């Protein structure tokens, strides 16, 4: 899809995924390293546990499909080569600390003089400007700054990170989205621009909108592994099985209560409870329990029944039952269980990549299946300076010629929203889909979001709520996921409702949907049908397991996909039950890949006139964020174990208690120099030569942090260039000066409250700022606008649809 374009990738471990995504989409990506090699080559795991520049599986995980060259911008001859490459490039990605590229004379302002159409992407911990922009950071401190660490783990333990680094992946995938959005604008204006991505801000998407707690008056979200909270009462969702653990989805809400009924029906069939237990009103159970309508111990008998029942079942039995009975449960898999599963084997997910003199290794496969332009893995990760001869000797390349996008726009005209003219029929729901189309709507796409008051979107019944009161119009997460969209309510179970969807598909460039596989076909709305009425249509289907394979009918949310994809054991403590990352974690990952798939397909359609069908599996996409652990298994046969906050590369490395209730600060000493500075700050120089005495060091550091607030610890350590950051809770996020600086919180009018607050777009473009939403999206707000202005329906026809109950 991106084969006409060239990308220069100057990133280290903080940004490699961005370039790999563009490479997987077909771009010619050139990885530019310093002469000694990228620092990412010195990050484990390592092939056969042998360290060396060609042995890092972290490097291999994020550099396939790229060519490689080493250059030193301080050498005149190398600088000439670099600037020649810039003159012919379409994109450049960098992850230096703010100001570093300017010191080298390679800032956006410098290079745009050489290539005015250059899309220049910067990936940093906090963004290019702001009070924390130049803070010293690590993956641990970035996760702490995002609020995600505070929410992850067990309430009785410290906040917990996923032990495979994640912040870089969230930032890298957002950076790829930003690059493609800027590219769409370039097709109109002929001009490049600067894309600024903050890892802290990117990772906040994983908080399931609880970042908004303080803004909307919701009590602070708490860390609670293995359970859900309803008004301070814990509903357990984690149970032992014969061979591990199982986790339950949120099956006590209006949109999900039928899943609990199915589960308890099965439990009753096997004699563990009476059948009448299943017939309770599980759809309102959580609300009634939280509101005090039910006694606090109402769920206790259910917990005991499920403990006894699940203890008799294996992972395989539970997965099969989840598929056949459509249950909201998932076994907690290790990564080998998903990598070697029948599901991924049937979908040919793992891809063997090798080259001359190298053994072919199995890598995570395409993040989505494209019907016309399947992703191809063309190259193994580059050896150090592998392609220097061909790149140094090649003729001067010209940037790819630009086309008019959309066709009505005047090339070279004043910059406008990049996706103006793109029309999307949005049948996505909950988080993974709607947050993808939100980004596109922010940047100009006309998105028509279809929902129904008969079957409320789960986000409408999920916290945070305005003033902490459950109400479908006061769900801040729904508003944040669907800002800048037009909203219409349609009963899709009626023939008239189906006819409206067909008309909207005829109007649209893109149709999105995230129903269970087979639902769209049963309604006569699948891709072959829609392609008949719109031959160049792009359609994406996104679900937990994809549209094919023996597990395709597995039903669930991102919490269950995180269990199947192997994340749960990786955000846990040794010897403890799997805690797992907070919430529907893989929704935040699939969101990025949904947006990327749509943008790449739009670029391809503009160039060729071809639409296509995209099959996106949330679980497969999520495995790219675990690519080093994936390779550690497929190459070394080694499973990454639960580590808590420990790290193979750094020590000390953890969450340490600060003064105050449940206050924590993340600290990471990556080098001997940082370790010596840390000992000086805590006035324990006697420990300088005892770094190996981990228990003694941990105790001494904890004693020091307990005597100071998190802010005081941050200030003292940042002054010595040691990575440190408070593990922000949700009120801390709302008051964080860096998020404030980036305009992360946006207050918008609401027809009921009368205002609410949403999160901003996480990608910042220098010339194409995201638009601010006009007002909150209430149910059916734009029924008349969509039907009359977009589809040309008469007032009489609209009135008839209303009278028939179709528009609800």
């Amino acid at each position: 899809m991106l084969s006409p374009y060239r990308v220069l990738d100057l990133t280290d471990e903080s940004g490699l995924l961005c370039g790999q995504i563009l490479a997987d989409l077909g771009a010619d990506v050139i990885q530019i390293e310093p002469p000694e090699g990228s620092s990412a080559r010195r990050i484990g795991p390592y092939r056969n546990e042998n360290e060396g520049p060609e042995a890092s599986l972290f490097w291999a995980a994020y550099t396939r499909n790229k060519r490689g060259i080493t250059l030193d911008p301080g050498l005149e001859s190398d600088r000439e080569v670099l600037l020649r490459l810039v003159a012919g490039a379409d994109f450049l990605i960098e992850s230096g600390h703010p100001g570093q590229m300017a010191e080298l004379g390679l800032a956006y302002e410098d290079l745009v003089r050489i290539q005015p159409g250059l899309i220049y992407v910067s990936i940093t911990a906090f963004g290019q400007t702001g009070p924390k922009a130049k803070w010293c950071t690590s993956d641990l401190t970035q996760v702490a700054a995002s609020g995600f660490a505070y929410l992850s783990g067990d309430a009785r333990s410290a906040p917990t990170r996923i032990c495979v680094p994640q912040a870089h992946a969230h930032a890298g995938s957002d950076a790829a989205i930003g690059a493609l959005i800027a590219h769409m604008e370039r097709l109109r204006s002929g001009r490049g621009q600067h894309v600024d991505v903050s890892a802290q801000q990117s990772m906040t998407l994983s908080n399931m909108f609880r970042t908004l707690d303080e803004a909307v008056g919701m009590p602070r979200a708490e860390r609670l592994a293995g359970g859900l909270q309803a008004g301070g009462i814990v509903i357990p969702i984690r149970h032992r099985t014969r061979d591990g653990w199982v986790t339950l989805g949120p099956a006590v809400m209006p949109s999900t209560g039928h899943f609990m009924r199915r589960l308890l029906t099965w439990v009753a069939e096997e004699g563990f409870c009476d059948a009448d237990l299943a017939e309770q009103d599980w759809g309102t159970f959580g609300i009634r329990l939280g509101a005090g309508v039910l006694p606090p111990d109402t769920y206790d008998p259910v917990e005991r029944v499920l403990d006894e029942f699940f203890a008799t079942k294996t992972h395989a039995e539970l997965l099969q039952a989840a598929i056949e009975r459509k249950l909201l449960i998932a076994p907690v898999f290790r990564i080998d269980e998903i990598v070697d599963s029948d599901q991924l084997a049937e979908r040919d997910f793992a891809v063997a990549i090798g080259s001359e003199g190298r053994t072919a290794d199995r890598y995570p496969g395409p993040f989505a299946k494209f019907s016309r332009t399947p992703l191809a893995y063309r190259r193994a990760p580059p050896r150090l300076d592998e392609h220097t001869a061909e790149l140094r000797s090649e003729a001067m390349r010209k940037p790819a010629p630009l086309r008019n996008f959309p066709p009505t726009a005047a090339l070279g005209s004043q910059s406008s929203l990049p996706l103006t003219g793109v029309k999307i029929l949005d049948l996505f729901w909950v988080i993974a889909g709607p947050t993808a189309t939100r980004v596109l709507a922010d940047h100009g796409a006309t998105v028509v979001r279809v929902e129904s008051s008969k079957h409320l979107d789960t986000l409408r019944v999920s916290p945070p709520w305005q003033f902490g009161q459950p109400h479908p119009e006061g769900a801040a997460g729904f508003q944040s996921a669907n800002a800048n969209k037009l909203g219409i309510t349609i009963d899709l179970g009626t023939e008239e409702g189906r006819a409206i969807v067909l008309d909207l598909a005829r109007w649209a460039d893109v149709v999105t949907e995230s129903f269970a596989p087979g639902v769209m076909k049963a309604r006569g709305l699948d891709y072959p049908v829609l392609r008949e009425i719109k031959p160049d249509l792009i359609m994406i289907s996104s679900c937990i397991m994809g549209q094919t394979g023996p597990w395709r009918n597995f039903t669930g949310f991102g919490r269950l996909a995180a269990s199947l994809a192997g994340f749960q054991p990786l955000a846990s403590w040794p010897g403890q039950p799997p805690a797992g990352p907070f919430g529907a974690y893989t929704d935040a990952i699939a969101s990025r890949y949904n947006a990327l798939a749509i943008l790449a397909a739009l670029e391809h359609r503009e160039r060729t006139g071809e639409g296509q069908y995209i099959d996106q599996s949330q679980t497969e996409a999520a495995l790219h964020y675990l690519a080093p652990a994936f390779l550690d298994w497929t190459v070394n046969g080694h499973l990454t174990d639960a580590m808590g906050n420990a790290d193979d590369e750094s020590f000390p490395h953890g969450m340490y208690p600060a003064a105050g209730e449940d206050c924590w600060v993340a600290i990471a000493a990556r080098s001997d120099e940082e370790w010596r500075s840390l000992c000086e700050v805590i006035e324990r120089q006697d420990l300088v030569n005892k770094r190996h005495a981990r228990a003694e060091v941990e105790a001494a550091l904890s004693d020091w942090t307990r005597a100071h607030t998190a802010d005081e610890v941050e200030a003292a350590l940042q002054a010595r260039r040691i990575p440190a950051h408070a593990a922000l809770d949700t009120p801390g996020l709302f008051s964080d000066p860096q998020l404030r600086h980036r305009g992360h919180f946006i207050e918008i009018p609401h027809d009921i409250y009368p205002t609410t607050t949403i999160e901003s777009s996480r990608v910042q473009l220098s010339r194409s700022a995201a638009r601010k939403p006009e007002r909150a999206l209430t149910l059916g707000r734009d029924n008349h606008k969509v039907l009359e202005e977009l589809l040309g329906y008469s007032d009489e026809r609209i009135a008839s649809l209303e009278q028939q109950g179709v528009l609800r």
Side-chain angles (χ1 to χ4, degrees), residues 104-449:
L104 296 171
L106 300 174
Y108 170 69
E109 294 76 12
D110 300 313
L111 301 188
V112 76
R113 298 190 188 101
I114 299 172
Q115 212 295 63
L118 184 69
I119 305 296
Y120 188 107
V121 182
S122 294
I123 304 168
T124 55
F126 295 104
Q128 292 296 296
T129 62
K132 297 181 181 179
K134 295 190 177 183
W135 276 28
C136 194
T137 71
S138 69
D139 177 74
L140 180 71
T141 61
Q142 290 167 30
V143 176
S146 74
F148 185 65
Y150 181 85
L151 295 171
S152 297
D154 194 289
R156 296 165 297 181
S157 302
T160 311
R161 75 159 184 159
I162 298 168
C163 64
V164 177
Q166 296 292 291
H168 79 95
H170 289 270
S173 47
D174 269 349
I177 292 170
L180 291 183
I181 291 173
H183 171 62
M184 293 300 189
E185 193 280 334
R186 175 174 59 184
L187 294 177
R188 175 183 294 111
S189 70
R191 300 166 61 196
Q193 58 183 309
H194 192 182
V195 179
D196 175 13
V197 175
S198 152
Q200 177 199 29
Q201 192 174 19
S202 288
M203 273 220 74
T204 61
L205 184 60
S206 304
N207 296 341
M208 291 185 65
F209 310 106
R210 299 309 299 264
T211 303
L212 297 168
D213 281 355
E214 185 78 1
V216 300
M218 185 78 188
R220 178 181 74 173
E222 301 292 348
R223 188 167 60 260
L224 181 64
L228 300 173
Q229 278 198 338
I233 300 172
V234 176
I235 301 175
I237 60 171
R238 180 180 61 196
H239 302 270
R240 282 190 180 274
T241 67
R242 282 177 56 191
D243 54 356
W245 296 85
V246 66
T247 188
L248 278 62
V252 291
M253 301 178 353
S255 61
T256 59
H258 55 287
F259 289 108
M260 180 61 87
R261 188 177 306 114
R262 292 173 189 162
L263 173 60
L264 291 175
T265 296
W266 181 30
V267 173
E269 288 173 3
E270 300 214 357
F272 286 87
C273 69
D274 295 331
D276 58 357
L277 185 61
E279 299 308 316
Q280 292 193 28
D281 184 4
W282 291 106
T284 63
F285 184 87
I287 294 174
R288 290 183 291 134
L289 186 66
V293 175
L294 299 175
D297 60 355
T298 302
Y299 193 78
D300 291 355
V302 182
E303 179 187 4
R304 288 193 292 270
V305 163
L306 292 179
D307 276 343
E308 295 172 2
F309 173 74
F310 285 125
T312 69
K313 303 298 180 185
T314 65
H315 278 181
E317 291 169 335
L318 291 170
L319 180 62
Q320 192 63 30
I323 296 168
E324 294 177 352
R325 292 175 174 265
K326 298 189 182 302
L327 306 177
L328 208 57
I329 64 173
V332 176
F333 276 178
R334 304 180 310 271
I335 198 164
D336 60 312
E337 293 178 274
I338 186 64
V339 171
D340 296 335
S341 68
D342 292 342
Q343 173 67 14
L344 296 196
E346 183 162 319
R347 285 174 60 83
D348 294 322
F349 176 66
V351 177
I353 309 175
S355 61
E356 185 177 350
R358 297 182 182 176
T359 301
D361 299 322
R362 285 195 299 154
Y363 285 74
F367 64 78
K369 292 182 178 293
F370 295 80
S371 63
R372 283 192 178 272
T373 54
L375 304 188
Y377 287 11
R378 309 175 304 280
R379 296 178 181 273
R383 295 187 178 95
L384 188 62
D385 210 27
E386 179 176 354
H387 302 98
T388 187
E390 62 191 68
L391 291 171
R392 288 176 181 271
S393 63
E394 73 173 6
M396 173 71 77
R397 179 188 186 272
K398 292 183 178 179
L402 300 178
R403 303 167 311 284
N404 220 9
F405 177 82
T408 55
L411 188 65
S413 65
Q414 186 175 1
S415 176
S416 60
L417 289 168
L419 300 178
T420 298
V422 174
K423 297 170 290 186
I424 300 175
L425 168 58
D426 191 1
L427 297 168
F428 279 150
W429 72 308
V430 199
I431 298 175
T435 50
T437 46
R438 155 77 195 276
V439 174
L440 307 184
D442 280 351
H443 291 92
T446 301
V447 180
V448 175
R449 173 72 158 85

Side-chain angles (χ1 to χ4, degrees), residues 727-772:
L728 295 179
D729 60 7
T730 56
L733 289 167
F734 187 60
S735 61
D736 181 64
Q738 186 64 28
L739 289 176
R740 291 275 179 169
H741 175 80
R742 289 181 67 83
H744 188 71
F745 300 96
I746 303 175
E747 189 176 31
I748 60 173
H750 195 295
D751 293 343
I752 297 175
Y753 289 104
T755 67
T756 191
T757 301
I758 63 171
E759 297 180 76
S760 73
S761 178
R762 289 169 174 80
V763 176
Q764 296 191 358
L765 279 64
S766 59
R767 293 191 301 100
S768 303
R771 56 178 170 172
K772 181 179 178 179

Side-chain angles (χ1 to χ4, degrees), residues 371-708:
S371 63
R372 283 192 178 272
T373 54
L375 304 188
Y377 287 11
R378 309 175 304 280
R379 296 178 181 273
R383 295 187 178 95
L384 188 62
D385 210 27
E386 179 176 354
H387 302 98
T388 187
E390 62 191 68
L391 291 171
R392 288 176 181 271
S393 63
E394 73 173 6
M396 173 71 77
R397 179 188 186 272
K398 292 183 178 179
L402 300 178
R403 303 167 311 284
N404 220 9
F405 177 82
T408 55
L411 188 65
S413 65
Q414 186 175 1
S415 176
S416 60
L417 289 168
L419 300 178
T420 298
V422 174
K423 297 170 290 186
I424 300 175
L425 168 58
D426 191 1
L427 297 168
F428 279 150
W429 72 308
V430 199
I431 298 175
T435 50
T437 46
R438 155 77 195 276
V439 174
L440 307 184
D442 280 351
H443 291 92
T446 301
V447 180
V448 175
R449 173 72 158 85
V450 176
E451 54 176 330
S452 172
S453 59
K454 290 181 63 178
H455 303 284
L456 288 173
D457 188 306
T458 300
L459 267 187
R460 283 200 179 270
V461 294
S462 300
W465 294 293
Q466 199 79 21
F467 309 125
Q469 300 301 310
H471 191 285
E473 299 291 16
F478 180 88
Q479 298 302 335
S480 204
N482 293 285
N484 274 324
K485 301 178 185 179
L486 300 173
I488 183 172
T489 50
I490 302 175
D491 184 351
L492 296 178
T494 65
E495 192 57 37
E496 294 82 0
R498 176 179 177 274
I500 296 173
V501 172
L502 288 172
D503 285 342
L504 284 169
R506 190 176 290 109
W507 160 85
D509 301 299
V510 180
V511 172
T512 73
E513 66 93 7
S514 52
F515 296 108
V519 170
M520 291 293 279
K521 183 175 182 179
R523 289 175 172 166
L525 295 171
D526 57 339
Y527 180 63
V529 171
L530 299 185
R531 185 178 56 188
E532 285 295 316
I533 63 174
K534 188 70 178 287
D536 63 348
L537 182 72
I538 295 166
M539 182 173 179
I540 181 169
S541 296
S542 178
C543 64
I544 295 294
M545 284 294 168
Q547 299 298 302
T548 61
W551 301 356
R552 64 186 177 279
N553 291 323
F554 180 89
T555 301
F557 301 100
R559 182 190 302 274
L560 303 186
S563 291
L564 293 177
F567 282 92
Q568 297 281 6
L570 301 178
S572 303
W573 295 86
Q576 298 297 314
F582 173 72
Y585 181 63
T586 57
D587 276 6
I589 302 173
S591 168
R592 275 57 181 259
Y593 286 110
N594 281 329
L596 286 162
I598 294 169
L599 287 165
L602 282 169
E603 211 287 338
H604 174 76
R605 193 185 76 158
E606 165 58 22
R607 185 155 39 87
T608 66
E610 296 176 344
Q612 59 185 309
Y613 180 68
I614 305 165
D615 169 11
Q616 205 262 358
S617 159
Q618 183 173 138
T619 302
E620 292 173 359
L623 286 170
H624 287 269
Y625 279 39
L626 292 180
F630 188 109
L631 285 173
D632 200 15
W633 171 248
T634 60
V635 174
N636 293 330
H638 176 260
L639 288 174
T640 304
D641 296 322
M643 300 174 63
N645 291 315
D647 186 80
D648 290 333
E649 314 291 335
S650 304
F651 182 78
H653 188 278
M655 298 284 179
Y656 297 90
E661 183 179 354
D662 200 28
C663 294
W664 301 85
V665 61
I667 300 172
R670 301 164 300 180
S671 65
D672 290 341
E673 180 182 357
E674 289 176 354
W675 165 241
R676 287 190 293 271
S677 296
L678 179 60
C679 290
E680 292 174 8
V681 171
I682 69 173
E683 299 181 344
R684 289 296 306 270
Q685 288 91 334
D686 59 301
L687 294 176
V688 168
N689 296 321
K690 300 176 70 176
R691 194 177 182 183
H692 61 280
R694 297 201 167 206
E696 184 178 355
V697 169
E698 293 277 13
L701 188 51
S702 295
D703 287 344
W704 180 77
T705 57
R706 281 193 187 95
H708 301 82

